[in-house]
Each structure stands twice: as structure tokens, then as C-alpha cells.
């Protein structure tokens, strides 16, 4: 972390996104967090809020212009923490795809066209476009779309049950504590810290990496050791 960096984030007002933003702002080398939102948010130190219509046809182009401006000040990484949360069961597959594949894909394309090399993508455990389960299938489709864009560094985060999250009922968290491995519990603060650690410590690496619960906990601990 000898060189400072900035981060562009979509979904930063959500539970996981908020945790990631908090962890990024705790890193002195993070010069700025650029939060792309649909509505204005309260001002914060080292946070720049840019309001876009994420459903507009020119969203990717606007994202690219913003990314180029941020890159003119130094290195920039990009993050998507977009997620529907507890409301996913009420959404149709078409609606889920419009957000998770369409909006996230447009954001990622804009970042890549502008020259951002590192992209962090929030997904879910077990995601695959071949799944017979709607949510898991759409998450897999989202991964495939972002993967096809061709970032030099793509980090996919696949948490199991996210605890410490307003969208996770207490009983689900209790059940998750009984489930070992990738489908079990992970605290959203650890998830957010692992995203921050990927950006702060691994931005110069290339290739794709997929991190599930155990790997995210290990990555978060890396940041603990150097901060």
C-alpha cells in the first residue's frame, strides 16, 4: 500500500457495500471513494457521490467518463456490491437480470473501457448460470457477463449466509452457524474488509480469483496484519 488509490463503487449504499466503503475509508492510502448512486447521499469526507440513472441507455458511457476522470488522479479500482437482499424472492427473473446482469454489466463495461484493470464483484455461494435455482442462476449469469469483459484482475466474492446484515433473519444466521464451509455464515464486516484488502493488497496481480467464506476471512486477516 505504498501508492494511494481510489475506488469506484456501485451498490455502496447497501449493507455489504456500506461495509466495504467503511473499510476502504479506514485505509489512509485510499484517497477517494466514488459512490455511483441513483439518489444523493449525505456528504462524507473522502467520498464523492455521483448520481446517475443506472437504467439509462448511456449508463456505461457515463461510467466510462467518470472513470477516466478518476484515473487522471491516479490508480482506480472498481467494485460492484449490487444485491437485492431479502427482496429477491419477490422479484421476477427478468427484474433480477435487469439489475444484476444489465446494470452491473453496464457499470463494468464502462469501467473497463476507461482503463480500470481491477474489478471486484459481489456474487453468492454456488453461483452458476446452469443452476435450476433462479437467484443462483442469475448470479452465475452476472459472473459470466463480467468475466467476458476482460478485466486484467477480476475478484469474485461468493459469500454464504451474510450475518450482521439487516436482510438476514436471526433464524437464518443461527441455521448458517450449523452449516460448514462455503454455504455457512460470514460477517458482513469481514466480507467488506476482504473486498478492501483485495484492492489495497492485490491490485497489481492479474487473472481471476474466486473467494468463498474461508478465503475471504483469510484475506481480511491479511489487511489486519499490515494496517
Amino acid at each position: 500500500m505504498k501508492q494511494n488509490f481510489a475506488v469506484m463503487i456501485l451498490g455502496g449504499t447497501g449493507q455489504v457495500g456500506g461495509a466495504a466503503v467503511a473499510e476502504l475509508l479506514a485505509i489512509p492510502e485510499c484517497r477517494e471513494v466514488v459512490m455511483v448512486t441513483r439518489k444523493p447521499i449525505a456528504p462524507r469526507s473522502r467520498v464523492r457521490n455521483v448520481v446517475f440513472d443506472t437504467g439509462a441507455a448511456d449508463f456505461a458511457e457515463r461510467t466510462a467518463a467518470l472513470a477516466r476522470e478518476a484515473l487522471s488522479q491516479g490508480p482506480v479500482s472498481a467494485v460492484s456490491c449490487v444485491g437485492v437482499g431479502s427482496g429477491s424472492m419477490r422479484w421476477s427473473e427478468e427484474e433480477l437480470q435487469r439489475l444484476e446482469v444489465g446494470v452491473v454489466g453496464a457499470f463494468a463495461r464502462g469501467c473497463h473501457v476507461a482503463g480500470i484493470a481491477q474489478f471486484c464483484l459481489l456474487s453468492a455461494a454456488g453461483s452458476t448460470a446452469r443452476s435450476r435455482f433462479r437467484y443462483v442462476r442469475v448470479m452465475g449469469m452476472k459472473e459470466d457477463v463480467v468475466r467476458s469483459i476482460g478485466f486484467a484482475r477480476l475478484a469474485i466474492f461468493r459469500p454464504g449466509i451474510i450475518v450482521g446484515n439487516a436482510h438476514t433473519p436471526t433464524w437464518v444466521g443461527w441455521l448458517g452457524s450449523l452449516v460448514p464451509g462455503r454455504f455457512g455464515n460470514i460477517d458482513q464486516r469481514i466480507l467488506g474488509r476482504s473486498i478492501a484488502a483485495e484492492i489495497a493488497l492485490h491490485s497489481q496481480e492479474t487473472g481471476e480469483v474466486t473467494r468463498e467464506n474461508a478465503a475471504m476471512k483469510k484475506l481480511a486477516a491479511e489487511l489486519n496484519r499490515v494496517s
Side-chain angles (χ1 to χ4, degrees):
M1 291 191 291
K2 293 181 180 178
Q3 187 177 32
N4 69 24
F5 60 89
V7 178
M8 278 181 57
I9 183 167
L10 184 69
T13 59
Q15 295 277 305
V16 174
V21 169
E23 295 292 345
L24 286 164
L25 292 175
I27 300 172
E29 290 80 3
C30 180
R31 68 177 183 271
E32 180 182 46
V33 175
V34 182
M35 293 181 63
V36 176
T37 63
R38 291 178 298 170
K39 298 178 181 178
I41 61 173
R44 295 169 66 183
S45 176
R46 290 161 54 216
V47 172
R48 177 159 49 122
N49 179 212
V50 179
V51 178
F52 283 160
D53 177 0
T54 57
D58 64 348
F59 177 50
E61 288 75 16
R62 287 176 175 268
T63 297
L66 177 62
R68 289 189 188 98
E69 187 274 327
L71 281 163
S72 71
Q73 305 300 314
V76 180
S77 298
V79 181
S80 171
C81 284
V82 168
V84 181
S86 60
S88 61
M89 296 299 293
R90 297 190 297 271
W91 287 46
S92 68
E93 182 160 345
E94 182 182 357
E95 290 171 322
L96 283 171
Q97 286 191 34
R98 190 178 302 125
L99 173 65
E100 300 282 4
V101 180
V103 172
V104 174
F107 177 72
R109 284 191 296 275
C111 290
H112 182 262
V113 165
I116 290 178
Q118 183 189 37
F119 195 90
C120 298
L121 178 66
L122 178 63
S123 187
S127 294
T128 169
R130 298 181 300 277
S131 177
R132 59 192 178 90
F133 297 105
R134 180 183 59 182
Y135 183 74
V136 176
R137 181 168 61 249
V138 172
M139 292 298 100
M141 294 168 64
K142 173 171 70 172
E143 289 185 10
D144 288 347
V145 164
V146 175
R147 184 178 290 115
S148 71
I149 291 170
F151 286 97
R153 174 70 171 182
L154 173 61
I156 298 174
F157 293 80
R158 290 181 176 173
I161 296 172
I162 304 173
V163 295
N165 187 303
H167 299 305
T168 304
T170 302
W171 70 268
V172 174
W174 175 83
L175 183 63
S177 67
L178 305 177
V179 178
R182 60 178 180 163
F183 292 103
N185 287 348
I186 183 166
D187 190 282
Q188 72 175 10
R189 292 169 297 181
I190 294 175
L191 174 50
R193 193 165 182 80
S194 69
I195 293 171
E198 161 66 23
I199 293 169
L201 304 177
H202 299 280
S203 64
Q204 300 304 308
E205 298 176 19
T206 58
E208 179 180 327
V209 60
T210 299
R211 293 195 170 95
E212 297 178 335
N213 284 358
M216 286 186 282
K217 292 172 184 177
K218 182 178 180 180
L219 182 57
E222 280 187 45
L223 191 57
N224 291 337
R225 288 194 295 270
V226 300
S227 59

